[in-house]
């Protein structure tokens, strides 16, 4: 089945997982420009909607999501599967039409529930063990872009097979 929705974790997936906090409490996160280009341009051109579900809350992430045109941003979600299931029902999407990329144990249930699961090269062992696609890139260093290209090629292959 064609993938129509890509759900992404943030820390360790869209970023390298480091959170820099200064003396005044400001947090910094580094995002990969290639990931951003894939999200902003390649996904929409391929008919795949981007979505973020993350356990942390961050104004930095809100700004980055706006820059990339991501309107489905869900922060502070520790149990991701119930929210994912509700959002799929609301959108009329089957789990098989959904892909998920994550890097840690809190992503496992959601990854098991979708059609295609991916992870960065530096994901934890349990996540690597269940991923359909283990990226050669690490989190925050092009893994999301690699997974996007994988999904687009997969969708194109399915279209050609029809």
């Amino acid at each position: 089945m064609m993938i129509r929705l890509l759900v992404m974790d943030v820390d360790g997936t869209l970023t390298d997982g480091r959170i820099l906090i200064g003396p005044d409490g400001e947090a910094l996160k580094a995002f990969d420009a290639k990931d951003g280009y894939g999200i902003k341009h390649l996904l929409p051109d391929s008919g795949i909607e981007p979505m973020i579900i993350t356990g942390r809350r961050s104004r930095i992430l809100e700004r980055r999501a706006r820059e990339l045109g991501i309107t489905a941003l869900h922060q502070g979600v520790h149990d991701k599967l119930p929210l994912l299931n509700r959002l799929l029902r609301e959108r009329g999407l089957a789990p098989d039409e959904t892909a998920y990329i994550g890097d840690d144990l809190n992503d496992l249930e959601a990854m098991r529930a979708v059609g295609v699961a991916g992870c960065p090269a530096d994901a934890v062992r349990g996540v690597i063990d269940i991923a359909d696609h283990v990226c050669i890139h690490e989190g925050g260093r092009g893994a999301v872009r690699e997974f996007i290209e994988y999904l687009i090629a997969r969708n194109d292959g399915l279209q050609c097979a029809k």
Side-chain angles (χ1 to χ4, degrees), residues 19 28 31 44 49 54 56 69 74 89 94-95 111 115 121 123 145-146 150 154 156:
I19 300 166
L28 303 175
F31 295 92
E49 177 189 359
T54 182
R56 293 182 55 85
H74 306 276
R89 279 192 310 273
M111 290 175 72
R145 171 67 173 268
E146 178 185 336
Y150 168 81
R154 182 187 177 280
D156 287 347

Side-chain angles (χ1 to χ4, degrees), residues 36-48:
Y37 186 89
I39 293 165
K40 184 171 179 119
H41 300 287
L42 300 181
L43 285 178
D45 291 350
S46 300
I48 301 173

Side-chain angles (χ1 to χ4, degrees), residues 83-112:
L83 175 63
L84 175 62
N85 286 334
R86 180 174 62 81
L87 294 169
L88 292 180
R89 279 192 310 273
E90 289 173 1
R91 285 170 168 71
L93 292 172
D96 286 350
E97 296 175 294
T98 306
Y100 188 104
I101 183 166
D103 72 304
D104 214 334
L105 299 178
N106 64 334
D107 297 306
L108 278 173
E109 286 185 343
M111 290 175 72
R112 286 186 180 117

Side-chain angles (χ1 to χ4, degrees), residues 33-89:
K34 291 179 188 74
D35 289 345
Y37 186 89
I39 293 165
K40 184 171 179 119
H41 300 287
L42 300 181
L43 285 178
D45 291 350
S46 300
I48 301 173
E49 177 189 359
M51 176 185 287
I52 290 174
I53 300 177
T54 182
R56 293 182 55 85
R57 291 187 178 275
S58 166
R59 286 184 297 182
I60 295 167
L61 177 58
E62 291 171 9
R63 179 177 178 173
R64 184 64 174 153
R66 273 192 311 272
E67 290 173 355
L68 299 177
I70 299 171
T71 57
L73 171 61
H74 306 276
Q75 299 190 79
V77 180
H78 301 288
D79 190 0
K80 297 178 179 184
L81 183 59
L83 175 63
L84 175 62
N85 286 334
R86 180 174 62 81
L87 294 169
L88 292 180
R89 279 192 310 273

